[in-house]
Amino acid sequence: MGDGPDAGGGRGARSRPLGVTERVAVIGAGLSGLVAAGRLQDAGREVVVYDKGRRPGGRANTREHGTHRFDHGAQFFTVRDERVRPLLEGWLSEGLVEEWRGDLVRIEGTSREPARAAARYVGVPGMVDVALSLAGELDVQKGVRIERLEREGEGWHLIDAESNRRGSFDRVVVAVPAPQAAPLLRGSPALEAAAARVEMAPCWAAMIVFDGSVEIGFDGAFVADGPISWLARDGSKPGRPQAESWVVHASSDWTRKHWDAGRDSVPGLLMEVLEARFGPLPDVEFARAHRWGFAFAGHGTPGHMMYDRGRGLGACGDWCVGGRVEGAIVSGLEVAGDVLQSDALAARSR
């Protein structure tokens, strides 16, 4: 699963005195980082998670504005990998997720057809609640931006934006978007180069509440052409307020073109696009936008998580496997598995 015990050189896993717990730092509290942290903690590691945000979730998040709630990043998730199914079953039994049975379509030009049949799941009452549950038993240090790693012997110190040293740690897992991960992975040239090759695309997300019913014939649409790539009636998801609240994702090309547009003007621009395509819409009760700088992974994804066993440094995230919420979860499970496997091999060799 990883890059092997000799990736990037080094002398192998660090030896620790018996009875001393290994410490692992996870940088990034999106789903991938939280899943990795949870698996490592369950295996007896002392884990600290650092995240620059105000709360966990990354793009699996929910924005609240008064009584309005929007899944403005990740919209839903599917499960195809059997390693994720135990997590899904637990979440379902807890009422943390439910299946979204909305009417979804695919649109291209004037063509509209039903979306591919699949069980699509959402967090309840928002996508962020999955992340909050995963973070519940973890030590998550919020509002901390880690800017670089410093090697100390066979371990690591983390340096934050205020030049504070946080550490030391035996292992570090970097779980942030590829452009942000690459500088943190300089301690392993192979991992740094792999992250630097990944192209990521931005996305403006508009959050709109209409004061009347939106009659366009679907609850969600994958749009193959034009300025919009996705739109969804958030109110159609289970556990949400009964309102005409919609999320509209702009295409990457449109986002780049309107990169400097303000969050108050983007919804109006996208409303013009919506009405040109779907006809007149009700008056807008509320509108806001959020700009995701690294929303989608494009070319150069490594196809799996990455772990340099020799240096105890790894990376995971949806960008490692080309996107999707399930990809983020699998990547987190895999990097945790590689850390534990490496430690077990080192223990047997002592």
Side-chain angles (χ1 to χ4, degrees):
M1 287 186 293
D3 291 318
D6 299 318
R11 293 190 297 163
R14 181 181 182 183
S15 298
R16 297 187 63 84
L18 292 175
V20 177
T21 302
E22 186 172 82
R23 302 191 75 224
V24 183
V26 176
I27 304 172
L31 293 184
S32 195
L34 292 172
V35 166
R39 181 58 54 92
L40 291 166
Q41 182 165 284
D42 289 346
R45 304 305 188 267
E46 180 184 342
V47 181
V48 183
V49 182
Y50 297 96
D51 192 87
K52 67 179 182 179
R54 292 177 293 136
R55 66 179 180 182
R59 283 184 290 111
N61 224 309
T62 304
R63 178 68 67 86
E64 295 95 2
H65 292 282
T67 59
H68 303 311
R69 293 171 60 89
F70 305 89
D71 295 331
H72 62 311
Q75 296 292 292
F76 59 83
F77 66 97
T78 58
V79 173
R80 304 170 190 169
D81 193 302
E82 288 305 311
R83 291 170 292 180
V84 181
R85 193 148 305 270
L87 286 172
L88 172 64
E89 291 173 354
W91 294 336
L92 287 169
S93 67
E94 296 168 15
L96 183 62
V97 305
E98 292 186 30
E99 185 177 352
W100 178 28
R101 300 180 182 274
D103 182 11
L104 271 61
V105 300
R106 291 187 177 274
I107 297 174
E108 184 169 7
T110 58
S111 172
R112 180 186 300 189
E113 61 184 30
R116 178 182 59 82
R120 297 177 173 89
Y121 301 96
V122 296
V124 177
M127 288 296 289
V128 72
D129 290 277
V130 176
L132 293 175
S133 176
L134 289 169
E137 300 299 322
L138 296 170
D139 180 3
V140 180
Q141 301 291 310
K142 300 180 287 293
V144 179
R145 183 187 296 272
I146 301 299
E147 295 206 331
R148 70 181 190 277
L149 308 181
E150 287 186 356
R151 189 75 160 154
E152 182 180 83
E154 294 180 339
W156 296 97
H157 276 287
L158 280 60
I159 313 301
D160 66 23
E162 284 72 44
S163 299
N164 298 313
R165 290 166 62 85
R166 298 173 181 266
S168 62
F169 293 94
D170 303 282
R171 310 278 182 262
V172 178
V173 173
V174 177
V176 297
Q180 298 172 339
L184 296 172
L185 295 170
R186 284 174 183 154
S188 174
L191 269 59
E192 179 190 12
R197 285 193 294 269
V198 177
E199 298 178 5
M200 298 201 72
C203 174
W204 267 115
M207 297 161 275
I208 304 171
V209 179
F210 296 94
D211 67 1
S213 179
V214 177
E215 304 294 342
I216 55 178
F218 56 79
D219 296 310
F222 303 92
V223 185
D225 56 349
I228 291 172
S229 62
W230 165 262
L231 66 156
R233 191 192 315 263
D234 243 28
S236 70
K237 296 177 180 178
R240 272 62 173 179
Q242 294 300 306
E244 283 289 347
S245 53
W246 286 74
V247 170
V248 182
H249 284 175
S251 69
S252 297
D253 287 344
W254 191 93
T255 298
R256 292 188 184 99
K257 182 178 179 181
H258 297 84
W259 181 256
D260 294 324
R263 66 178 185 176
D264 294 325
S265 61
V266 164
L269 295 173
L270 290 175
M271 274 290 299
E272 293 176 6
V273 175
L274 288 173
E275 293 199 317
R277 188 150 199 169
F278 300 109
L281 295 169
D283 291 338
V284 172
E285 177 183 320
F286 170 88
R288 192 63 59 84
H290 177 87
R291 187 177 66 184
W292 297 102
F294 306 112
F296 310 110
H299 299 295
T301 58
H304 51 76
M305 61 82 215
M306 304 184 293
Y307 185 54
D308 183 330
R309 295 182 180 180
R311 291 181 171 88
L313 181 62
C316 63
D318 63 346
W319 60 269
C320 289
V321 290
R324 299 178 58 244
V325 170
E326 186 183 23
I329 295 171
V330 168
S331 185
L333 291 172
E334 287 188 347
V335 77
D338 236 34
V339 171
L340 297 173
Q341 182 185 54
S342 175
D343 292 347
L345 290 172
R348 287 198 294 268
S349 69
R350 291 201 290 269

